[in-house]
């Protein structure tokens, strides 16, 4: 398998997966308590942007852990 083609696909898949998980988790929040009335579009946009930010951060964390754990044998070998 071509490693140069697999890594970007894995990163894209990971980002999309964790953005979806973050969006699902953010739906548990009750925005009525903190968002002003008649701001539905802005609230939806906020949820999407928060999902992207949280999902990308979590995805980068797992991709970094995967990358660095694969490099550990080179330290000890």
């Amino acid at each position: 398998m071509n490693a140069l083609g697999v890594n970007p696909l894995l990163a894209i898949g990971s980002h999309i997966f964790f953005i979806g998980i973050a969006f699902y988790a953010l739906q548990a929040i009750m925005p009525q308590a903190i968002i002003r009335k008649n701001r539905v579009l802005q609230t939806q946009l906020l949820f999407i942007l928060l999902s992207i930010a949280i999902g990308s951060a979590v995805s980068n964390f797992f991709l970094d852990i995967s990358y660095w754990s694969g490099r550990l044998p080179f330290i000890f070998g």
Side-chain angles (χ1 to χ4, degrees):
M1 234 189 287
N2 186 0
L4 294 176
V6 173
N7 288 340
L9 287 177
L10 179 67
I12 291 170
S14 174
H15 277 68
I16 290 172
F17 174 76
F18 283 111
I19 289 170
I21 294 294
F23 185 77
Y24 177 74
L26 283 173
Q27 290 178 349
I29 295 174
M30 299 295 289
Q32 295 85 0
I34 45 179
I35 305 297
R36 294 190 316 195
K37 292 184 179 189
N38 299 325
R39 303 290 183 164
V40 176
L41 181 63
Q42 292 168 332
T43 304
Q44 290 172 343
L45 182 60
L46 177 65
F47 269 56
I48 291 169
L49 293 175
L50 280 173
S51 298
I52 292 170
I54 294 169
S56 294
V58 173
S59 178
N60 283 332
F61 171 77
F62 280 105
L63 290 171
D64 285 345
I65 291 292
S66 173
Y67 174 78
W68 291 114
S69 65
R71 300 300 179 254
L72 282 177
F74 296 115
I75 293 173
F76 302 112

